[in-house]
Amino acid sequence: VNPNSHKTINIHSSLPSIIASKRRFQSNLYGKDKYKDGDGKPKLSQNELLLQLESKLEYDGRISSKVAPSSSQDDDTAVAITSDDDDDDNNIVSSTHRCALVTILGLPNMGKSTLLNALLSDDLAIATSRPQTTRHAILGVMTSDHSQICLTDTPGIIGNPAYRLQEGMMDVVNGAVRDCDVFLVVTDVYSGGKMEISDDDDDDDDDDSLDKMGIGADMLARLQQAHRPVIVVVNKVDLVAEDTNESVYTNTPVKAIQTIQKWRSVLPDAFAIIPTCAANGPEDQGVVALRSILLANDPDVNVGAAIRNLGRPVAGMFPANSGGSMPTNEEARAILPLGPPLYHADFFTDRTDRFCASELIRETLFESFKKEMPYCCEVRVETFDESKRYLDEEDSGPNNNKKRNKSMIRIGAVILVERDSQKGIVVGKGGQKIKDVGMDARKKLQAFFGVKIFLDLRVKVDKNWRSNKDKLKQYGYM
């Protein structure tokens, strides 16, 4: 970079590059808006702010965002951003378009990844019954004509990290909390009080830092003082259902009601506290209600109807300053910042196929081994040959009626463990265990990629990799 003609910009974040695109108009319902004057009127129109940002962020190799000047100078200034296709005149973003960075956070094993998958109606993040399955920030994007919701799943909050890997995971959480527009706190019906979250031999240590509703006094204070919208999701309400023959939402279980009221007492200004059963999938009534709140800017979404499907209103679900009544579409959309989309309409995640393959193999390890073994493992995809991935599509001409099953992806991966004894456990007697893991992982990979998978798995010892800073940087944790 030539310092005489360009500015050098260094952006440090635990999240993907989406964070560098902030900040847009905040709702005036939460805190003071630095872009507005004392009378509440914008100092600059939204388009003017984007043009101002365009002029400041200049560096070698940067692609223009194509922000077009607008003649209007009032609040309703259109954000005129053209498509990459210059012949397409329909991709002008409306001045009412909303885009939000939503961070999903909570204790391990609360169902954060399951909730992300349910909201997206797709299995993006791995989810198991074991705590601390998620190690990275996983971005999933919901896009409609009127909204774009960028959901970031984060590792479970750990009070006292036992080794450098867990420290890196908590850096991810802190970065996501710092950079979001909306907090989505995921808990369950048993939340509150001290919780055991350790994954191995360290669980004998007292962890007094997670006494405050299970997320720690510091994190709770940040939520209370952030002046940003908070939505709490009370997950797993089906575990305390009093009548298994009817929907859990017909009569909300007493334990779930108590949890909702407990969270309302510590977060009185939370926009909503929604009971869910995320494991039931995208059509669960709680998930549908939450998705409706996040997509309230869409004219075909009815927030009130979605919430009414949860059954009889529960005291504490909505803040007292609103009379405890369910929010309208207008109130729900107000928690989302105005702004253009950060990603193209068909963008789903910033994670690569290699990353997804390594995560699915790691998910298989969690399901195949007990106790602390999966926590000592790291999966590295060394080869990912997709040269034959689309053979079936290439052979699918109108006159070709042959059975098409030639498509294949060849994946070579190594499972890293910390000690020789662990390698023996993963390999198993006569190599049987690693063979079983490979078969189960291949099924997951074939379902995910939709083609045949050739999987070559090997096991190596990388001593104390979880506490080695250089190794953690190499593996993307720091």
Side-chain angles (χ1 to χ4, degrees):
V1 177
N2 183 353
N4 297 323
S5 59
H6 299 286
K7 295 181 180 179
T8 301
I9 298 177
N10 295 315
I11 298 174
H12 300 282
S13 174
S14 301
L15 288 177
S17 59
I18 58 172
I19 305 308
S21 303
K22 292 184 60 34
R23 164 74 55 180
R24 299 168 303 285
F25 282 125
Q26 293 283 357
S27 164
N28 57 14
L29 296 180
Y30 292 86
K32 183 178 179 180
D33 195 329
K34 65 180 179 181
Y35 296 118
K36 293 185 178 182
D37 59 24
D39 297 328
K41 297 180 180 179
K43 297 176 182 178
L44 295 173
S45 70
Q46 186 174 5
N47 207 45
E48 288 171 332
L49 285 169
L50 289 171
L51 288 169
Q52 187 181 89
L53 183 64
E54 176 80 5
S55 65
K56 290 182 178 180
L57 294 180
E58 182 180 353
Y59 51 89
D60 189 26
R62 183 172 184 270
I63 300 175
S64 171
S65 64
K66 300 182 181 180
V67 180
S70 173
S71 58
S72 174
Q73 298 296 326
D74 54 27
D75 282 346
D76 296 325
T77 299
V79 182
I81 299 183
T82 60
S83 163
D84 289 338
D85 183 354
D86 293 336
D87 295 329
D88 186 356
D89 295 328
N90 297 322
N91 287 333
I92 301 298
V93 180
S94 166
S95 61
T96 60
H97 188 278
R98 294 180 183 269
C99 182
L101 305 178
V102 180
T103 290
I104 304 173
L105 71 154
L107 272 180
N109 212 29
M110 292 292 106
K112 299 183 295 298
S113 299
T114 304
L115 179 64
L116 173 69
N117 293 339
L119 288 170
L120 296 173
S121 301
D122 205 328
D123 291 334
L124 171 61
I126 63 172
T128 73
S129 60
R130 307 286 295 277
Q132 295 180 8
T133 302
T134 302
R135 290 177 177 173
H136 300 268
I138 309 294
L139 171 69
V141 180
M142 289 194 299
T143 301
S144 69
D145 291 339
H146 304 271
S147 310
Q148 187 172 85
I149 308 301
C150 305
L151 297 156
T152 301
D153 183 24
T154 62
I157 296 172
I158 303 171
N160 293 319
Y163 35 83
R164 284 188 180 272
L165 171 61
Q166 291 186 341
E167 292 175 5
M169 291 160 60
M170 290 308 95
D171 288 342
V172 168
V173 175
N174 290 327
V177 168
R178 180 180 62 247
D179 296 316
C180 74
D181 297 310
V182 179
F183 294 107
L184 192 56
V185 180
V186 182
T187 182
D188 67 13
V189 288
Y190 301 108
S191 65
K194 188 173 180 178
M195 305 222 176
E196 293 293 342
I197 56 92
S198 187
D199 57 40
D200 52 23
D201 297 337
D202 301 312
D203 59 6
D204 291 330
D205 297 334
D206 287 333
D207 189 357
D208 296 327
S209 62
L210 289 180
D211 284 354
K212 292 292 186 180
M213 301 303 293
I215 62 172
D218 291 343
M219 186 63 70
L220 184 60
R222 293 177 71 174
L223 292 174
Q224 293 169 331
Q225 300 168 12
H227 300 296
R228 281 174 279 177
V230 178
I231 300 173
V232 178
V233 175
V234 178
N235 196 22
K236 306 181 184 181
V237 294
D238 53 321
L239 297 183
V240 290
E242 297 165 1
D243 187 348
T244 57
N245 294 322
E246 63 180 13
S247 169
V248 70
Y249 299 109
T250 302
N251 289 302
T252 306
V254 173
K255 181 65 176 177
I257 295 175
Q258 293 173 345
T259 304
I260 290 172
Q261 294 173 345
K262 186 186 300 182
W263 276 94
R264 178 58 64 187
S265 68
V266 297
L267 292 174
D269 296 326
F271 182 79
I273 302 177
I274 305 295
T276 66
C277 306
N280 290 343
E283 300 306 316
D284 176 76
Q285 287 128 294
V287 173
V288 171
L290 178 59
R291 190 187 299 116
S292 298
I293 291 174
L294 295 175
L295 296 176
N297 199 44
D298 290 29
D300 57 343
V301 170
N302 188 327
V303 174
I307 293 176
R308 282 192 292 273
N309 286 336
L310 295 178
R312 186 173 55 194
V314 174
M317 284 180 64
F318 307 107
N321 57 20
S322 69
S325 58
M326 67 182 65
T328 63
N329 274 45
E330 182 177 0
E331 291 170 335
R333 73 170 63 100
I335 71 174
L336 307 174
L338 286 166
L342 298 176
Y343 299 100
H344 194 272
D346 61 359
F347 184 89
F348 182 57
T349 184
D350 62 339
R351 291 299 180 176
T352 64
D353 285 346
R354 278 175 173 261
F355 175 84
C356 293
S358 68
E359 286 288 274
L360 288 170
I361 297 170
R362 197 166 62 83
E363 181 182 46
T364 307
L365 292 172
F366 269 91
E367 295 170 348
S368 303
F369 295 96
K370 298 179 180 180
K371 297 184 179 180
E372 78 278 2
M373 180 56 63
Y375 301 98
C376 303
C377 297
E378 167 67 1
V379 177
R380 308 300 298 170
V381 172
E382 296 185 330
T383 61
F384 191 91
D385 180 4
E386 52 183 340
S387 59
K388 298 181 180 180
R389 182 173 183 175
Y390 303 105
L391 284 181
D392 291 346
E393 295 180 13
E394 295 170 0
D395 295 341
S396 60
N399 299 322
N400 191 345
N401 296 320
K402 295 181 180 180
K403 185 178 180 180
R404 297 184 292 272
N405 57 0
K406 298 179 181 178
S407 293
M408 174 186 288
I409 299 176
R410 302 177 72 92
I411 300 173
V414 58
I415 300 172
L416 302 176
V417 295
E418 292 190 305
R419 298 190 294 271
D420 290 329
S421 60
Q422 295 169 348
K423 179 178 179 179
I425 295 174
V426 175
V427 172
K429 186 176 181 180
Q432 186 60 46
K433 193 63 177 180
I434 190 64
K435 181 179 179 181
D436 293 341
V437 169
M439 292 177 62
D440 292 341
R442 188 169 65 248
K443 292 177 183 178
K444 291 177 180 288
L445 292 164
Q446 288 180 165
F448 185 85
F449 291 109
V451 297
K452 285 185 177 180
I453 299 293
F454 177 85
L455 178 61
D456 177 29
L457 277 183
R458 291 175 293 120
V459 184
K460 289 183 178 180
V461 176
D462 189 353
K463 291 187 177 180
N464 300 319
W465 69 266
R466 290 187 297 175
S467 299
N468 188 314
K469 188 175 182 179
D470 292 334
K471 290 291 185 179
L472 292 173
K473 285 183 178 180
Q474 179 183 342
Y475 301 156
Y477 291 110
M478 301 187 76

